[in-house]
Amino acid sequence: MKKVTIILPAYNEEASMDRLRECMDSVVRDNPAYEWEFLLVNDGSTDNTLQQMIRLHNEDPHYSYVDLSRNYGKEIAMMAGFDYATGDGVIIMDADMQHPVDVIPEMLRWWEEGYDDVYATRKNSGETWFKRKTSQWYYGLLQSFTNIPIQRDTGDFRLLDRSCVDALRRMREVERNTKGMYSWIGFHKKGITYEQQQRQQGKSKWSLMALVNLALNGFTSYTTAPLRMASVMGLIVSLVAFIYLIYIIIVTNVYGEPVQGYPTIMVTMLFLGGVQLLSLGIIGEYLGRVFNEVKGRPGYFINSYNGTREHVN
Ligand code: UDP
Ligand code: MG
């Protein structure tokens, strides 16, 4: 019998735990052809999430838990999930149960057909015009910068074959954009759609700033094209400046016209200053990533895996 691990990263989700259990019970009930493991990853919750996980683990052998040493963020929590998952396949779901369990049979079906990465795409219902448009522009822009096909409106809700999990486990970067990594590793992909559920308990952990960070991260981890853009911009500006220089020399020497000083200098200086700051900022973005990677630290530490402190890797 094939074993499937459901990875459930959770940060302050004590209110969702009862519902989570109901959903997982129904997964076991509806898919008896598989052996199930539910791997709860406690991402440094400050409420009783951990206690609830320990209770689940003690009451039901399907549940395992990893308790991270602090809050690392969902990306790292998933990294820990990949490390500790023991299944032949892995499904990643949000612990707040916004991802419906009833698409799991369909995922399993495609997996049996030979697909390695069955990803679930949100049906865009009930989202505001603004949110829809910004996400559309963002994906469009991102895609134009890279050759790797990007799956739109797709999050982490997906089934991964062991081969994908092993591939992802070899990518130990700590500045993670897992979405980009799924695309990068390739393998046979199949998209299905699902209706995103309303969050029932607790509240979303994404602030506006966090979303902006995520968007920037998406760019800098997918592609180094902005760096190239900075060079091209520099080249164009220099070229224009050079042509302008020739023009001024001709105008003053041949026609004897006095050059308008202040406005021209101001405009050029401000423009160049802006371009330089922008380019520096772009370089800084990448430098920051290099800085964090080059330290070579492990992505996370754990307090406990099912009550022991052993580390698997
Ligand atoms: N999460 C996490 N660590 C964090 C923030 C969130 O493990 O630092 C988990 C959270 O418990 C949930 C999932 O990641 O299971 C998605 O988070 P959330 O529901 O806040 O995001 P949204 O659904 O609004 O995208
Ligand atoms: Mg959520």
Side-chain angles (χ1 to χ4, degrees), residues 6-294:
I6 300 189
I7 297 175
L8 299 146
Y11 174 55
N12 291 350
E13 299 284 6
E14 64 173 0
S16 304
M17 284 311 216
D18 287 336
R19 201 166 124 65
L20 183 144
R21 182 171 203 173
E22 278 168 35
C23 291
M24 294 308 122
D25 284 347
S26 76
V27 169
V28 175
R29 215 178 322 113
D30 299 343
N31 305 282
Y34 297 88
E35 192 188 329
W36 291 96
E37 176 191 41
F38 307 125
L39 180 60
L40 305 159
V41 183
N42 177 37
D43 186 17
S45 302
T46 51
D47 61 2
N48 284 322
T49 303
L50 176 65
Q51 284 71 18
Q52 305 235 27
M53 287 179 176
I54 294 172
R55 209 195 66 210
L56 283 176
H57 171 66
N58 289 336
E59 288 175 5
D60 185 340
H62 286 112
Y63 289 91
S64 299
Y65 68 92
V66 182
D67 181 27
L68 302 184
S69 62
R70 65 169 169 86
N71 177 249
Y72 289 91
K74 188 189 174 189
E75 303 286 330
I76 295 286
M78 287 192 294
M79 181 186 187
F82 294 139
D83 289 342
Y84 285 88
T86 56
D88 306 299
V90 156
I91 296 175
I92 308 147
M93 286 179 84
D94 282 0
D96 59 8
M97 293 293 108
Q98 279 187 290
H99 300 148
V101 288
D102 35 303
V103 297
I104 288 178
E106 191 183 351
M107 285 178 162
L108 293 167
R109 224 163 29 241
W110 289 114
W111 182 38
E112 296 293 348
E113 296 263 314
Y115 289 99
D116 303 306
D117 176 0
V118 186
Y119 61 91
T121 302
R122 276 187 303 278
K123 266 188 241 156
N124 264 343
S125 57
E127 281 195 333
T128 58
W129 180 88
F130 178 73
K131 209 169 167 202
R132 239 181 15 246
K133 276 290 164 204
T134 42
S135 111
Q136 204 177 320
W137 289 329
Y138 177 73
Y139 279 114
L141 195 65
L142 189 57
Q143 184 65 81
S144 67
F145 272 123
T146 171
N147 297 327
I148 308 165
I150 296 166
Q151 287 85 40
R152 277 166 186 246
D153 296 321
T154 303
D156 300 303
F157 186 27
R158 58 181 70 222
L159 184 151
L160 297 168
D161 184 70
R162 179 42 61 184
S163 49
C164 293
V165 176
D166 287 342
L168 289 170
R169 284 194 62 194
R170 292 179 59 182
M171 299 159 78
R172 304 307 291 180
E173 61 244 55
V174 289
E175 290 266 322
R176 289 172 90 79
N177 174 263
T178 319
K179 240 164 90 78
M181 293 162 66
Y182 302 127
S183 305
W184 193 85
I185 57 170
F187 294 103
H188 299 108
K189 295 195 186 307
K190 174 78 195 168
I192 60 173
T193 57
Y194 77 101
E195 201 89 50
Q196 173 119 323
Q197 311 289 304
Q198 288 295 325
R199 184 181 247 283
Q200 308 272 337
Q201 281 89 20
K203 58 178 190 306
S204 173
K205 278 108 205 166
W206 290 106
S207 61
L208 182 66
M209 203 53 214
L211 279 175
V212 171
N213 275 334
L214 189 76
L216 278 178
N217 246 333
F219 257 96
T220 46
S221 56
Y222 253 110
T223 161
T224 49
L227 285 172
R228 174 68 48 82
M229 214 170 64
S231 322
V232 172
M233 217 152 52
L235 203 71
I236 293 173
V237 171
S238 317
L239 209 73
V240 172
F242 185 70
I243 294 170
Y244 190 52
L245 179 109
I246 305 266
Y247 167 78
I248 288 178
I249 289 177
I250 293 174
V251 167
T252 37
N253 289 326
V254 180
Y255 301 101
E257 260 180 45
V259 182
Q260 297 286 319
Y262 187 69
T264 23
I265 291 177
M266 260 330 253
V267 166
T268 343
M269 254 179 51
L270 285 179
F271 178 65
L272 281 181
V275 170
Q276 281 168 356
L277 278 181
L278 185 68
S279 311
L280 273 179
I282 293 173
I283 296 172
E285 286 288 328
Y286 288 96
L287 187 64
R289 296 182 73 88
V290 172
F291 173 68
N292 281 331
E293 264 355 300
V294 88

